[in-house]
Amino acid sequence: MCGRMRSKEEIFGPELTRQEALRIIGETPGMYAWYMTLSQRLKEEFLEFLMGTRGLNLTYDPMFKAVFDPQQFPSRLEDFLSLCLGEEVEILSALPNESSRLTEEGSLLVMDLLVRLKSGALVNVEIQKIGYLFPGQRCACYSSDLVMRQYAQVRDSCRRENQAFSYRQIQKVYTIVLIQDSTPEFHQFPGQYLHRARQQFDTGLQLDMVQEYLLIPLDIFLESQHNISNRLDAWLMLIASDRPEQILKVICAYPEFEEIYRQVFGFRRQVKELMNMFSDALKILDANTTKYMIEQQKEEIERQNEKIEKQNEEIAQRNEEIAQLKEANKNQEEALLSKEKEIERLKARLAAEKTIDL
């Protein structure tokens, strides 16, 4: 049962008019010029948040990290991870989100939130506004990096303690990805928003394979879950929705979430910091999108080059066939000419023989 329904103003703070919000933007140093660079959709989103008529979803990378900071608010992330993994977890430490190894491109593999659990398992939580930026191949790379980080840590620990290393010491690694706008693959499974995966053998062979995944398309969650049926739903609604009525539903079902919403809406009074967070989030998104577009263009160029190479091979093959046909025709013409000459010689001989007979 829901307790007393909180009013929107109690959570969001007092509403402002559009003119009042625009005045704040105009009076905050550097904000108006920045605001004018936004798309119309983002302008409205930012303005309505300042007005208090709209929430702010946590799929913006800096906001997500602020709310789930494992050092400042470990209990939040522990609660969320426990629900995702289906078992109680305790965070032992937060880890650097940058890989110590360089990728082939010479850039670091950077994760959003990376923690080590008391069990020794590693968990990487990724927040993605656009699904195509985090394909299956990237999931596999991130998961593999977690395995190697753990391997290096266990190996070094064994060396320090002068103990023998065993691969049995390697614990689970979990990759959890929350996606705001998911790709068409996810929409082939309407109503399904918790996609779990682990490695297994088709024969039924049981081995403890350590890599596990959970992919959560938040757009499908919002489409299918109109009620808060459990605590995980509440967390996902908090992360994904900016609609005031859904935010109030979460607080009604789980009053302890009010503290988080108050933290988020506190940024209405810290507009300079809010602008910086938005700017950082958009820079990350723009950089990732640009990189993705460049990769897509490279793939398209490679496909075109492959197509041209194939066409060139076909042209070369046809030219060779034509050359062979020409050579065959030439041989046939020479053979025909030879036959004609032989016939002429035979005719001449027969004529000569006939003359002698006469």
Side-chain angles (χ1 to χ4, degrees), residues 25-198:
I25 291 173
E27 292 176 352
T28 304
M31 180 170 282
Y32 182 76
W34 168 82
Y35 176 76
M36 293 305 294
T37 66
L38 299 178
S39 67
Q40 189 58 38
R41 181 184 65 81
L42 287 175
K43 282 179 181 176
E44 287 301 312
E45 186 175 322
F46 188 80
L47 190 63
E48 289 174 11
F49 178 72
L50 283 185
M51 292 167 61
T53 59
R54 180 178 187 160
L56 187 67
N57 63 51
L58 304 187
T59 55
Y60 287 104
D61 188 79
M63 185 65 73
F64 182 83
K65 291 177 181 177
V67 168
F68 285 100
D69 187 331
Q71 294 178 314
Q72 190 173 1
F73 307 108
S75 61
R76 294 178 182 176
L77 191 56
E78 285 174 343
D79 187 41
F80 179 65
L81 292 180
S82 296
L83 295 167
C84 287
L85 303 181
E87 60 182 85
E88 290 296 319
V89 303
E90 181 180 343
I91 293 174
L92 184 64
S93 61
L95 300 178
N97 63 352
E98 290 187 347
S99 171
S100 59
R101 291 172 301 283
L102 293 175
T103 65
E104 291 181 358
E105 293 79 14
S107 59
L108 290 171
L109 188 154
V110 182
M111 301 180 181
D112 286 343
L113 286 179
L114 177 59
V115 295
R116 175 176 286 113
L117 304 182
K118 192 173 182 180
S119 65
L122 298 184
V123 184
N124 170 33
V125 183
E126 293 291 318
I127 188 74
Q128 293 291 315
K129 292 191 77 67
I130 303 175
Y132 60 64
L133 296 175
F134 212 97
Q137 294 89 334
R138 187 171 174 184
C139 275
C141 289
Y142 276 54
S143 180
S144 299
D145 188 83
L146 295 182
V147 174
M148 294 310 299
R149 287 183 194 227
Q150 190 175 176
Y151 166 77
Q153 187 270 328
V154 172
R155 181 198 58 195
D156 292 345
S157 177
C158 288
R159 286 176 177 172
R160 286 194 303 270
E161 297 173 11
N162 199 28
Q163 295 179 350
F165 169 80
S166 170
Y167 282 100
R168 294 183 183 277
Q169 296 171 276
I170 302 297
Q171 301 298 315
K172 293 283 188 183
V173 297
Y174 300 94
T175 302
I176 300 174
V177 187
L178 300 106
I179 307 165
Q180 180 176 333
D181 295 322
S182 59
T183 52
E185 293 89 340
F186 290 96
H187 292 269
Q188 295 177 14
F189 304 91
Q192 300 295 321
Y193 56 88
L194 297 174
H195 297 275
R196 304 180 189 277
R198 64 180 63 180

Side-chain angles (χ1 to χ4, degrees), residues 324-338:
Q324 290 174 351
L325 287 172
K326 285 182 177 180
E327 183 67 24
N329 287 337
K330 181 181 178 182
N331 292 336
Q332 288 177 351
E333 288 175 356
E334 290 177 350
L336 182 60
L337 183 60
S338 177

